[in-house]
Each structure stands twice: as C-alpha cells, then as structure tokens.
Amino acid sequence: MKHGFKTWAEKEALRLRSEMQLSEDATLPARGLAQHLKIEIATPPEIGVDEKTLGVLLGPGTSRWSAVTLYLHKTPFVVFNPTHSEQRQESDLMHEFAHILCKHSPTKVLVGGGFPFPIREYNKDQEEEADWLGATLKLPRNALLSAVKKGLTDEELAEQFKCSVPLARMRRNRSGVKMQLQRLQALKANRGWN
Amino acid sequence: MLRARRGTRGLRSVAQEIGEISASTLSRIEQGGVPDLETYLRITKWLGIQTEHQGLSGAGETATPELIEAHFRAEKVLPPDTIQALSDMIRQAYKWAENRGIGTNPSK
C-alpha cells in the first residue's frame, strides 16, 4: 500500500459523507454512494441475463463471484451478485467503488505469448488498496472510535454501519482504534481516573 | 502436462514445491480450471516452460467477453461452467450498458 494511502482513505470517507450531506459517523449505504458517484449498478437479472446462465451464476456458481466493474466509453458500471447477504453486497460494492475512486487500472487479461488460454493479471497492491478503502468508507476511524467507546460489539458495529461482522472486526483491529482505547484505559488506570 | 509431470506425487507435496499455491488450486487447474497470471507463471517455471509474457496484449474495455471473465476476483480458479456463465453475463452487461447509453449520455 502506498505511503499515506490510509490517511487519504479516511479523508475520502469523510469527504464523500460531507458531499452527501451525511454526518461523519453516519452509515454510508453502497447504493446511495453509487447514486452520488453516478455509477450504475445492476444484478444479472436486471441486465437481462438468460435463465440458463442465471441458473449457474446464482445457483452452484454463486459463491464463486461477488461483483465486477466494467467500463464502457471509459465509464464504469458494476454488476453484482444479489444472492449474497445484504452486508456482503455492501462490502462487495464498496470494494468495487474503491477501485474506481482509486482510479485503478482495470485488470489486464493477457493473450498469446505462449499462453494456452487467457490469463488474468492479479494486482495485489490494487486489491489491498480497494479492500482498505472499501472498509474505511463503511467504517471511518472517527465513527469507529466513537462507537467502540460506547462499547459496541463487532456484531453491533456491523448492524449499525450495514457491513459484515468480519469487516467490522478488521476495522476495529487494524485501524488503530483498539490500541488507542487500550492506551487511554491504561492511562486512566495509572492516574486513577474513572 | 501438469498431471503428467506430477506423476504419482501427491498434490500437496507438488503444491509446496511450486510455492504459494494450494493443493486444491492445483487440482482445479489439472481439471481444466484457468489460473491467474502469477499462479500460471509459477507452474510454468516449475514445469521448466519458458513464457514470453512481456509482449502480450492487455485486454482493456475493448476486450471480448470471452477474455474478461477473468476480472472476477472471488476465486483464483473457476470451473468451466462458471467461466462460461460469467462470459455470457459480461456480454449481456455490455449490451445492457449500450442500451442505457452508459458513457455517452451525461445523465446516466
């Protein structure tokens, strides 16, 4: 992850809330953000995928895909899997929007050069950035700190911010909030504060 | 080729030797699954095959649907019926987007 990316991600989460006239600790719904960013999102049935294909995509193949961002005339649009839980859909969409906000280059698919079939190029850095920004958009640090101070559990955080429990847990553990609170509590204990 | 080279050795042992690949991924590739680039390069290196990937064409927005199924990030290796379904979905997605005027209509 690039130096300063995490700070930028926090600022993006706040900037977007401000543009959408939401408070800093407000829940940011993915569909609302899509509307704000003017990104069209749709499910396979909505785009007119035939029944047989739907049978695979939303049946046995449903666990194998989440969402995809495609570009037409340099304009992104997202097709997502509607069979996953609402929280998972929120995370999936945020991940895709994060790629767009980061202006990541689309995944390249390589053809020829001795390869017997098309091969995709997996960009680990871009995926990490999208994971981080997607999660930060859902749970910015200030909102997280305020909620954790109130004693919210990961489940309650997920419920309040409409995200998955693993995402809430990841943000609690990796945003620095957990350590900040632990230090604060240790300081209070040392000084005999309540 | 992979199956032949592996011979009677176990998937787990070969996966460890190739590095950064699971036995289940290796198994799916042997059954016709399509790996991502990094995995493919690791396997070809293990097989001793030279690849010339520097000069390859990248598929951008003009790519055919058959090539961009690999955009999907959920799995490193997908079964053929899922790949086909994803290809069909992408093809349909572009038709849908064209009809909606995405990228051409400022209000969209």
Side-chain angles (χ1 to χ4, degrees), chain A residues 140-187:
Chain A
R141 198 173 188 287
N142 290 349
L144 182 64
L145 185 61
S146 153
V148 171
K149 273 183 180 170
K150 288 179 193 161
L152 265 62
T153 63
D154 291 339
E155 287 73 16
E156 288 166 338
L157 279 173
E159 176 65 28
Q160 182 171 328
F161 290 93
K162 306 289 177 225
C163 64
S164 65
V165 174
L167 187 147
R169 189 174 302 126
M170 183 275 270
R171 283 296 289 160
R172 182 197 292 269
N173 292 335
R174 294 185 57 198
S175 65
V177 160
K178 193 175 175 181
M179 194 181 291
Q180 187 177 342
L181 282 179
Q182 282 169 346
R183 282 180 183 157
L184 188 63
Q185 281 160 0
L187 187 67

mmCIF file of all heavy atoms in Angstrom, chain A residues 140-187:
data_model
loop_
_atom_site.group_PDB
_atom_site.id
_atom_site.type_symbol
_atom_site.label_atom_id
_atom_site.label_comp_id
_atom_site.label_asym_id
_atom_site.label_seq_id
_atom_site.Cartn_x
_atom_site.Cartn_y
_atom_site.Cartn_z
ATOM 1 N N PRO A 140 -15.399 4.702 8.903
ATOM 2 C CA PRO A 140 -14.275 5.623 9.084
ATOM 3 C C PRO A 140 -13.795 5.605 10.536
ATOM 4 O O PRO A 140 -14.555 5.264 11.439
ATOM 5 C CB PRO A 140 -14.865 6.998 8.748
ATOM 6 C CG PRO A 140 -16.208 6.751 8.183
ATOM 7 C CD PRO A 140 -16.640 5.383 8.581
ATOM 8 N N ARG A 141 -12.565 5.999 10.721
ATOM 9 C CA ARG A 141 -11.929 5.870 12.035
ATOM 10 C C ARG A 141 -12.672 6.625 13.141
ATOM 11 O O ARG A 141 -12.880 6.098 14.232
ATOM 12 C CB ARG A 141 -10.487 6.365 11.935
ATOM 13 C CG ARG A 141 -9.614 5.893 13.054
ATOM 14 C CD ARG A 141 -8.161 6.283 12.806
ATOM 15 N NE ARG A 141 -7.313 5.657 13.792
ATOM 16 C CZ ARG A 141 -7.238 6.025 15.055
ATOM 17 N NH1 ARG A 141 -7.976 7.028 15.494
ATOM 18 N NH2 ARG A 141 -6.445 5.392 15.905
ATOM 19 N N ASN A 142 -13.064 7.866 12.861
ATOM 20 C CA ASN A 142 -13.743 8.656 13.892
ATOM 21 C C ASN A 142 -15.048 8.001 14.333
ATOM 22 O O ASN A 142 -15.371 7.954 15.521
ATOM 23 C CB ASN A 142 -14.029 10.072 13.388
ATOM 24 C CG ASN A 142 -12.758 10.873 13.243
ATOM 25 O OD1 ASN A 142 -11.701 10.439 13.703
ATOM 26 N ND2 ASN A 142 -12.852 12.029 12.599
ATOM 27 N N ALA A 143 -15.793 7.525 13.354
ATOM 28 C CA ALA A 143 -17.073 6.877 13.660
ATOM 29 C C ALA A 143 -16.827 5.598 14.457
ATOM 30 O O ALA A 143 -17.536 5.292 15.421
ATOM 31 C CB ALA A 143 -17.805 6.545 12.369
ATOM 32 N N LEU A 144 -15.791 4.894 14.054
ATOM 33 C CA LEU A 144 -15.447 3.643 14.729
ATOM 34 C C LEU A 144 -15.047 3.915 16.181
ATOM 35 O O LEU A 144 -15.508 3.241 17.106
ATOM 36 C CB LEU A 144 -14.292 2.983 13.967
ATOM 37 C CG LEU A 144 -13.802 1.638 14.457
ATOM 38 C CD1 LEU A 144 -14.887 0.589 14.326
ATOM 39 C CD2 LEU A 144 -12.575 1.199 13.655
ATOM 40 N N LEU A 145 -14.219 4.922 16.375
ATOM 41 C CA LEU A 145 -13.742 5.258 17.722
ATOM 42 C C LEU A 145 -14.923 5.610 18.630
ATOM 43 O O LEU A 145 -15.023 5.124 19.763
ATOM 44 C CB LEU A 145 -12.757 6.432 17.635
ATOM 45 C CG LEU A 145 -12.066 6.826 18.930
ATOM 46 C CD1 LEU A 145 -11.223 5.688 19.479
ATOM 47 C CD2 LEU A 145 -11.186 8.061 18.710
ATOM 48 N N SER A 146 -15.792 6.427 18.100
ATOM 49 C CA SER A 146 -16.951 6.846 18.893
ATOM 50 C C SER A 146 -17.823 5.635 19.252
ATOM 51 O O SER A 146 -18.274 5.503 20.390
ATOM 52 C CB SER A 146 -17.707 7.886 18.069
ATOM 53 O OG SER A 146 -19.026 7.925 18.383
ATOM 54 N N ALA A 147 -18.024 4.740 18.281
ATOM 55 C CA ALA A 147 -18.872 3.562 18.528
ATOM 56 C C ALA A 147 -18.212 2.593 19.506
ATOM 57 O O ALA A 147 -18.873 2.023 20.380
ATOM 58 C CB ALA A 147 -19.164 2.854 17.208
ATOM 59 N N VAL A 148 -16.908 2.419 19.366
ATOM 60 C CA VAL A 148 -16.197 1.483 20.241
ATOM 61 C C VAL A 148 -16.160 2.029 21.675
ATOM 62 O O VAL A 148 -16.279 1.280 22.638
ATOM 63 C CB VAL A 148 -14.773 1.201 19.695
ATOM 64 C CG1 VAL A 148 -13.950 0.409 20.680
ATOM 65 C CG2 VAL A 148 -14.865 0.431 18.375
ATOM 66 N N LYS A 149 -16.027 3.332 21.792
ATOM 67 C CA LYS A 149 -16.050 3.943 23.127
ATOM 68 C C LYS A 149 -17.380 3.675 23.827
ATOM 69 O O LYS A 149 -17.441 3.569 25.042
ATOM 70 C CB LYS A 149 -15.834 5.451 23.010
ATOM 71 C CG LYS A 149 -14.378 5.866 22.998
ATOM 72 C CD LYS A 149 -14.277 7.383 22.963
ATOM 73 C CE LYS A 149 -12.834 7.846 22.956
ATOM 74 N NZ LYS A 149 -12.738 9.294 22.681
ATOM 75 N N LYS A 150 -18.424 3.588 23.030
ATOM 76 C CA LYS A 150 -19.749 3.307 23.598
ATOM 77 C C LYS A 150 -19.901 1.831 23.952
ATOM 78 O O LYS A 150 -20.934 1.419 24.478
ATOM 79 C CB LYS A 150 -20.842 3.699 22.595
ATOM 80 C CG LYS A 150 -21.020 5.193 22.428
ATOM 81 C CD LYS A 150 -22.102 5.464 21.393
ATOM 82 C CE LYS A 150 -22.087 6.922 20.966
ATOM 83 N NZ LYS A 150 -22.787 7.134 19.688
ATOM 84 N N GLY A 151 -18.909 1.034 23.592
ATOM 85 C CA GLY A 151 -18.930 -0.383 23.946
ATOM 86 C C GLY A 151 -19.628 -1.281 22.937
ATOM 87 O O GLY A 151 -20.006 -2.410 23.273
ATOM 88 N N LEU A 152 -19.796 -0.806 21.707
ATOM 89 C CA LEU A 152 -20.465 -1.640 20.695
ATOM 90 C C LEU A 152 -19.620 -2.870 20.356
ATOM 91 O O LEU A 152 -18.395 -2.772 20.220
ATOM 92 C CB LEU A 152 -20.717 -0.828 19.421
ATOM 93 C CG LEU A 152 -22.098 -0.170 19.274
ATOM 94 C CD1 LEU A 152 -22.342 0.840 20.377
ATOM 95 C CD2 LEU A 152 -22.230 0.475 17.912
ATOM 96 N N THR A 153 -20.275 -4.001 20.221
ATOM 97 C CA THR A 153 -19.587 -5.226 19.807
ATOM 98 C C THR A 153 -19.409 -5.204 18.286
ATOM 99 O O THR A 153 -19.984 -4.338 17.601
ATOM 100 C CB THR A 153 -20.417 -6.473 20.168
ATOM 101 O OG1 THR A 153 -21.648 -6.387 19.425
ATOM 102 C CG2 THR A 153 -20.722 -6.530 21.652
ATOM 103 N N ASP A 154 -18.637 -6.154 17.762
ATOM 104 C CA ASP A 154 -18.459 -6.226 16.299
ATOM 105 C C ASP A 154 -19.808 -6.434 15.612
ATOM 106 O O ASP A 154 -20.074 -5.876 14.549
ATOM 107 C CB ASP A 154 -17.507 -7.374 15.936
ATOM 108 C CG ASP A 154 -16.081 -7.093 16.380
ATOM 109 O OD1 ASP A 154 -15.750 -5.912 16.585
ATOM 110 O OD2 ASP A 154 -15.314 -8.059 16.540
ATOM 111 N N GLU A 155 -20.658 -7.243 16.230
ATOM 112 C CA GLU A 155 -21.978 -7.507 15.647
ATOM 113 C C GLU A 155 -22.808 -6.226 15.611
ATOM 114 O O GLU A 155 -23.500 -5.932 14.634
ATOM 115 C CB GLU A 155 -22.719 -8.590 16.451
ATOM 116 C CG GLU A 155 -22.188 -10.005 16.261
ATOM 117 C CD GLU A 155 -20.847 -10.252 16.952
ATOM 118 O OE1 GLU A 155 -20.453 -9.436 17.824
ATOM 119 O OE2 GLU A 155 -20.183 -11.244 16.600
ATOM 120 N N GLU A 156 -22.724 -5.461 16.698
ATOM 121 C CA GLU A 156 -23.494 -4.210 16.753
ATOM 122 C C GLU A 156 -22.938 -3.170 15.779
ATOM 123 O O GLU A 156 -23.686 -2.414 15.154
ATOM 124 C CB GLU A 156 -23.495 -3.667 18.190
ATOM 125 C CG GLU A 156 -24.363 -4.504 19.118
ATOM 126 C CD GLU A 156 -24.114 -4.201 20.593
ATOM 127 O OE1 GLU A 156 -23.024 -3.682 20.942
ATOM 128 O OE2 GLU A 156 -25.005 -4.495 21.398
ATOM 129 N N LEU A 157 -21.606 -3.157 15.648
ATOM 130 C CA LEU A 157 -20.987 -2.260 14.668
ATOM 131 C C LEU A 157 -21.475 -2.602 13.265
ATOM 132 O O LEU A 157 -21.825 -1.709 12.482
ATOM 133 C CB LEU A 157 -19.457 -2.421 14.700
ATOM 134 C CG LEU A 157 -18.668 -1.702 15.785
ATOM 135 C CD1 LEU A 157 -17.207 -2.141 15.723
ATOM 136 C CD2 LEU A 157 -18.752 -0.199 15.607
ATOM 137 N N ALA A 158 -21.478 -3.912 12.972
ATOM 138 C CA ALA A 158 -21.906 -4.368 11.647
ATOM 139 C C ALA A 158 -23.356 -3.976 11.392
ATOM 140 O O ALA A 158 -23.705 -3.540 10.290
ATOM 141 C CB ALA A 158 -21.727 -5.880 11.534
ATOM 142 N N GLU A 159 -24.178 -4.120 12.410
ATOM 143 C CA GLU A 159 -25.594 -3.778 12.284
ATOM 144 C C GLU A 159 -25.754 -2.270 12.036
ATOM 145 O O GLU A 159 -26.490 -1.846 11.146
ATOM 146 C CB GLU A 159 -26.315 -4.204 13.579
ATOM 147 C CG GLU A 159 -27.784 -3.830 13.656
ATOM 148 C CD GLU A 159 -28.628 -4.533 12.608
ATOM 149 O OE1 GLU A 159 -28.260 -5.623 12.187
ATOM 150 O OE2 GLU A 159 -29.668 -3.934 12.211
ATOM 151 N N GLN A 160 -25.035 -1.476 12.824
ATOM 152 C CA GLN A 160 -25.175 -0.020 12.715
ATOM 153 C C GLN A 160 -24.655 0.515 11.382
ATOM 154 O O GLN A 160 -25.266 1.385 10.776
ATOM 155 C CB GLN A 160 -24.430 0.673 13.862
ATOM 156 C CG GLN A 160 -24.577 2.185 13.815
ATOM 157 C CD GLN A 160 -24.021 2.856 15.051
ATOM 158 O OE1 GLN A 160 -24.062 2.300 16.142
ATOM 159 N NE2 GLN A 160 -23.506 4.060 14.886
ATOM 160 N N PHE A 161 -23.518 -0.014 10.936
ATOM 161 C CA PHE A 161 -22.898 0.535 9.728
ATOM 162 C C PHE A 161 -23.210 -0.285 8.472
ATOM 163 O O PHE A 161 -22.656 -0.024 7.414
ATOM 164 C CB PHE A 161 -21.383 0.680 9.923
ATOM 165 C CG PHE A 161 -21.036 1.771 10.894
ATOM 166 C CD1 PHE A 161 -20.846 1.491 12.229
ATOM 167 C CD2 PHE A 161 -20.950 3.088 10.477
ATOM 168 C CE1 PHE A 161 -20.552 2.498 13.142
ATOM 169 C CE2 PHE A 161 -20.659 4.113 11.373
ATOM 170 C CZ PHE A 161 -20.466 3.814 12.714
ATOM 171 N N LYS A 162 -24.086 -1.258 8.615
ATOM 172 C CA LYS A 162 -24.506 -2.086 7.470
ATOM 173 C C LYS A 162 -23.295 -2.676 6.744
ATOM 174 O O LYS A 162 -23.082 -2.463 5.538
ATOM 175 C CB LYS A 162 -25.354 -1.273 6.471
ATOM 176 C CG LYS A 162 -26.546 -0.590 7.086
ATOM 177 C CD LYS A 162 -27.616 -1.578 7.491
ATOM 178 C CE LYS A 162 -28.768 -0.883 8.183
ATOM 179 N NZ LYS A 162 -29.233 -1.559 9.387
ATOM 180 N N CYS A 163 -22.492 -3.378 7.516
ATOM 181 C CA CYS A 163 -21.347 -4.066 6.906
ATOM 182 C C CYS A 163 -21.249 -5.456 7.526
ATOM 183 O O CYS A 163 -22.020 -5.784 8.426
ATOM 184 C CB CYS A 163 -20.055 -3.278 7.138
ATOM 185 S SG CYS A 163 -19.583 -3.133 8.865
ATOM 186 N N SER A 164 -20.329 -6.247 7.039
ATOM 187 C CA SER A 164 -20.216 -7.596 7.576
ATOM 188 C C SER A 164 -19.481 -7.563 8.924
ATOM 189 O O SER A 164 -18.725 -6.624 9.204
ATOM 190 C CB SER A 164 -19.456 -8.488 6.590
ATOM 191 O OG SER A 164 -18.138 -8.024 6.466
ATOM 192 N N VAL A 165 -19.690 -8.587 9.721
ATOM 193 C CA VAL A 165 -19.010 -8.670 11.023
ATOM 194 C C VAL A 165 -17.486 -8.773 10.835
ATOM 195 O O VAL A 165 -16.735 -8.079 11.534
ATOM 196 C CB VAL A 165 -19.562 -9.856 11.855
ATOM 197 C CG1 VAL A 165 -18.755 -10.046 13.139
ATOM 198 C CG2 VAL A 165 -21.033 -9.624 12.175
ATOM 199 N N PRO A 166 -17.006 -9.593 9.878
ATOM 200 C CA PRO A 166 -15.540 -9.633 9.687
ATOM 201 C C PRO A 166 -14.958 -8.267 9.321
ATOM 202 O O PRO A 166 -13.861 -7.919 9.748
ATOM 203 C CB PRO A 166 -15.357 -10.635 8.537
ATOM 204 C CG PRO A 166 -16.566 -11.496 8.586
ATOM 205 C CD PRO A 166 -17.684 -10.617 9.059
ATOM 206 N N LEU A 167 -15.711 -7.483 8.541
ATOM 207 C CA LEU A 167 -15.206 -6.153 8.174
ATOM 208 C C LEU A 167 -15.130 -5.261 9.417
ATOM 209 O O LEU A 167 -14.141 -4.551 9.640
ATOM 210 C CB LEU A 167 -16.105 -5.510 7.103
ATOM 211 C CG LEU A 167 -15.592 -4.195 6.502
ATOM 212 C CD1 LEU A 167 -16.001 -4.082 5.039
ATOM 213 C CD2 LEU A 167 -16.127 -2.974 7.252
ATOM 214 N N ALA A 168 -16.179 -5.327 10.254
ATOM 215 C CA ALA A 168 -16.182 -4.535 11.490
ATOM 216 C C ALA A 168 -15.006 -4.943 12.378
ATOM 217 O O ALA A 168 -14.313 -4.098 12.951
ATOM 218 C CB ALA A 168 -17.502 -4.721 12.228
ATOM 219 N N ARG A 169 -14.782 -6.249 12.472
ATOM 220 C CA ARG A 169 -13.681 -6.755 13.299
ATOM 221 C C ARG A 169 -12.330 -6.284 12.754
ATOM 222 O O ARG A 169 -11.448 -5.869 13.489
ATOM 223 C CB ARG A 169 -13.741 -8.291 13.330
ATOM 224 C CG ARG A 169 -12.770 -8.912 14.327
ATOM 225 C CD ARG A 169 -12.982 -10.409 14.413
ATOM 226 N NE ARG A 169 -14.335 -10.750 14.796
ATOM 227 C CZ ARG A 169 -15.145 -11.571 14.133
ATOM 228 N NH1 ARG A 169 -14.726 -12.159 13.036
ATOM 229 N NH2 ARG A 169 -16.360 -11.821 14.550
ATOM 230 N N MET A 170 -12.202 -6.377 11.431
ATOM 231 C CA MET A 170 -10.954 -5.957 10.786
ATOM 232 C C MET A 170 -10.688 -4.480 11.058
ATOM 233 O O MET A 170 -9.581 -4.082 11.420
ATOM 234 C CB MET A 170 -11.041 -6.223 9.277
ATOM 235 C CG MET A 170 -9.783 -5.906 8.495
ATOM 236 S SD MET A 170 -9.630 -4.189 8.005
ATOM 237 C CE MET A 170 -10.438 -4.215 6.408
ATOM 238 N N ARG A 171 -11.715 -3.653 10.947
ATOM 239 C CA ARG A 171 -11.534 -2.217 11.178
ATOM 240 C C ARG A 171 -11.169 -1.951 12.639
ATOM 241 O O ARG A 171 -10.330 -1.123 12.928
ATOM 242 C CB ARG A 171 -12.811 -1.451 10.791
ATOM 243 C CG ARG A 171 -12.993 -1.280 9.313
ATOM 244 C CD ARG A 171 -11.913 -0.426 8.695
ATOM 245 N NE ARG A 171 -12.021 0.981 9.067
ATOM 246 C CZ ARG A 171 -11.024 1.852 8.979
ATOM 247 N NH1 ARG A 171 -9.849 1.479 8.543
ATOM 248 N NH2 ARG A 171 -11.185 3.106 9.340
ATOM 249 N N ARG A 172 -11.822 -2.660 13.555
ATOM 250 C CA ARG A 172 -11.519 -2.471 14.979
ATOM 251 C C ARG A 172 -10.046 -2.829 15.257
ATOM 252 O O ARG A 172 -9.339 -2.126 15.964
ATOM 253 C CB ARG A 172 -12.426 -3.357 15.835
ATOM 254 C CG ARG A 172 -12.196 -3.172 17.337
ATOM 255 C CD ARG A 172 -12.786 -4.324 18.114
ATOM 256 N NE ARG A 172 -14.233 -4.380 18.072
ATOM 257 C CZ ARG A 172 -15.039 -3.782 18.959
ATOM 258 N NH1 ARG A 172 -14.528 -3.097 19.943
ATOM 259 N NH2 ARG A 172 -16.355 -3.907 18.864
ATOM 260 N N ASN A 173 -9.606 -3.942 14.662
ATOM 261 C CA ASN A 173 -8.266 -4.434 14.958
ATOM 262 C C ASN A 173 -7.153 -3.697 14.216
ATOM 263 O O ASN A 173 -6.035 -3.600 14.716
ATOM 264 C CB ASN A 173 -8.159 -5.930 14.626
ATOM 265 C CG ASN A 173 -9.004 -6.759 15.572
ATOM 266 O OD1 ASN A 173 -9.288 -6.340 16.696
ATOM 267 N ND2 ASN A 173 -9.427 -7.928 15.117
ATOM 268 N N ARG A 174 -7.456 -3.226 13.004
ATOM 269 C CA ARG A 174 -6.376 -2.702 12.169
ATOM 270 C C ARG A 174 -6.379 -1.189 11.975
ATOM 271 O O ARG A 174 -5.476 -0.640 11.367
ATOM 272 C CB ARG A 174 -6.395 -3.399 10.806
ATOM 273 C CG ARG A 174 -6.063 -4.887 10.934
ATOM 274 C CD ARG A 174 -5.948 -5.552 9.586
ATOM 275 N NE ARG A 174 -4.960 -4.924 8.737
ATOM 276 C CZ ARG A 174 -4.897 -5.082 7.431
ATOM 277 N NH1 ARG A 174 -5.776 -5.842 6.822
ATOM 278 N NH2 ARG A 174 -3.977 -4.480 6.713
ATOM 279 N N SER A 175 -7.418 -0.516 12.451
ATOM 280 C CA SER A 175 -7.474 0.938 12.242
ATOM 281 C C SER A 175 -6.680 1.701 13.293
ATOM 282 O O SER A 175 -6.519 2.911 13.189
ATOM 283 C CB SER A 175 -8.921 1.409 12.266
ATOM 284 O OG SER A 175 -9.444 1.198 13.561
ATOM 285 N N GLY A 176 -6.234 0.998 14.334
ATOM 286 C CA GLY A 176 -5.510 1.673 15.410
ATOM 287 C C GLY A 176 -6.405 2.083 16.555
ATOM 288 O O GLY A 176 -5.942 2.503 17.612
ATOM 289 N N VAL A 177 -7.713 1.948 16.367
ATOM 290 C CA VAL A 177 -8.689 2.346 17.383
ATOM 291 C C VAL A 177 -8.561 1.496 18.643
ATOM 292 O O VAL A 177 -8.577 2.012 19.761
ATOM 293 C CB VAL A 177 -10.123 2.229 16.801
ATOM 294 C CG1 VAL A 177 -11.157 2.146 17.892
ATOM 295 C CG2 VAL A 177 -10.406 3.414 15.901
ATOM 296 N N LYS A 178 -8.379 0.210 18.436
ATOM 297 C CA LYS A 178 -8.287 -0.714 19.566
ATOM 298 C C LYS A 178 -7.097 -0.325 20.463
ATOM 299 O O LYS A 178 -7.230 -0.221 21.686
ATOM 300 C CB LYS A 178 -8.106 -2.135 19.030
ATOM 301 C CG LYS A 178 -8.301 -3.219 20.051
ATOM 302 C CD LYS A 178 -8.201 -4.566 19.344
ATOM 303 C CE LYS A 178 -8.269 -5.712 20.300
ATOM 304 N NZ LYS A 178 -8.152 -6.997 19.605
ATOM 305 N N MET A 179 -5.958 -0.072 19.811
ATOM 306 C CA MET A 179 -4.750 0.281 20.565
ATOM 307 C C MET A 179 -4.925 1.633 21.260
ATOM 308 O O MET A 179 -4.536 1.819 22.411
ATOM 309 C CB MET A 179 -3.553 0.327 19.613
ATOM 310 C CG MET A 179 -2.220 0.346 20.324
ATOM 311 S SD MET A 179 -0.883 0.431 19.142
ATOM 312 C CE MET A 179 -0.994 -1.186 18.410
ATOM 313 N N GLN A 180 -5.556 2.549 20.553
ATOM 314 C CA GLN A 180 -5.779 3.888 21.115
ATOM 315 C C GLN A 180 -6.611 3.802 22.398
ATOM 316 O O GLN A 180 -6.292 4.439 23.399
ATOM 317 C CB GLN A 180 -6.502 4.762 20.084
ATOM 318 C CG GLN A 180 -6.625 6.213 20.505
ATOM 319 C CD GLN A 180 -7.273 7.059 19.416
ATOM 320 O OE1 GLN A 180 -7.334 6.658 18.249
ATOM 321 N NE2 GLN A 180 -7.753 8.226 19.786
ATOM 322 N N LEU A 181 -7.644 2.980 22.365
ATOM 323 C CA LEU A 181 -8.504 2.836 23.538
ATOM 324 C C LEU A 181 -7.777 2.114 24.670
ATOM 325 O O LEU A 181 -7.939 2.464 25.832
ATOM 326 C CB LEU A 181 -9.783 2.093 23.173
ATOM 327 C CG LEU A 181 -10.832 2.925 22.439
ATOM 328 C CD1 LEU A 181 -12.050 2.094 22.114
ATOM 329 C CD2 LEU A 181 -11.252 4.132 23.276
ATOM 330 N N GLN A 182 -6.993 1.119 24.298
ATOM 331 C CA GLN A 182 -6.238 0.384 25.326
ATOM 332 C C GLN A 182 -5.271 1.323 26.051
ATOM 333 O O GLN A 182 -5.146 1.296 27.266
ATOM 334 C CB GLN A 182 -5.474 -0.779 24.700
ATOM 335 C CG GLN A 182 -6.372 -1.981 24.413
ATOM 336 C CD GLN A 182 -5.674 -3.042 23.556
ATOM 337 O OE1 GLN A 182 -4.634 -2.801 22.970
ATOM 338 N NE2 GLN A 182 -6.281 -4.211 23.483
ATOM 339 N N ARG A 183 -4.606 2.195 25.280
ATOM 340 C CA ARG A 183 -3.669 3.156 25.877
ATOM 341 C C ARG A 183 -4.410 4.131 26.776
ATOM 342 O O ARG A 183 -3.944 4.475 27.861
ATOM 343 C CB ARG A 183 -2.929 3.918 24.776
ATOM 344 C CG ARG A 183 -1.822 3.098 24.159
ATOM 345 C CD ARG A 183 -1.115 3.886 23.080
ATOM 346 N NE ARG A 183 -0.094 3.094 22.425
ATOM 347 C CZ ARG A 183 0.364 3.336 21.217
ATOM 348 N NH1 ARG A 183 -0.105 4.335 20.503
ATOM 349 N NH2 ARG A 183 1.306 2.572 20.682
ATOM 350 N N LEU A 184 -5.555 4.560 26.306
ATOM 351 C CA LEU A 184 -6.362 5.513 27.080
ATOM 352 C C LEU A 184 -6.790 4.884 28.403
ATOM 353 O O LEU A 184 -6.717 5.507 29.461
ATOM 354 C CB LEU A 184 -7.585 5.919 26.258
ATOM 355 C CG LEU A 184 -8.448 7.054 26.804
ATOM 356 C CD1 LEU A 184 -7.640 8.356 26.882
ATOM 357 C CD2 LEU A 184 -9.672 7.269 25.932
ATOM 358 N N GLN A 185 -7.203 3.610 28.301
ATOM 359 C CA GLN A 185 -7.641 2.918 29.515
ATOM 360 C C GLN A 185 -6.484 2.713 30.482
ATOM 361 O O GLN A 185 -6.637 2.871 31.702
ATOM 362 C CB GLN A 185 -8.282 1.574 29.155
ATOM 363 C CG GLN A 185 -9.718 1.734 28.674
ATOM 364 C CD GLN A 185 -10.218 0.553 27.869
ATOM 365 O OE1 GLN A 185 -9.491 -0.423 27.657
ATOM 366 N NE2 GLN A 185 -11.460 0.632 27.417
ATOM 367 N N ALA A 186 -5.298 2.396 29.936
ATOM 368 C CA ALA A 186 -4.118 2.205 30.774
ATOM 369 C C ALA A 186 -3.742 3.521 31.457
ATOM 370 O O ALA A 186 -3.402 3.553 32.646
ATOM 371 C CB ALA A 186 -2.956 1.700 29.925
ATOM 372 N N LEU A 187 -3.823 4.608 30.715
ATOM 373 C CA LEU A 187 -3.512 5.933 31.265
ATOM 374 C C LEU A 187 -4.477 6.279 32.401
ATOM 375 O O LEU A 187 -4.077 6.756 33.470
ATOM 376 C CB LEU A 187 -3.612 6.970 30.144
ATOM 377 C CG LEU A 187 -3.153 8.388 30.482
ATOM 378 C CD1 LEU A 187 -1.646 8.431 30.733
ATOM 379 C CD2 LEU A 187 -3.500 9.343 29.331
#
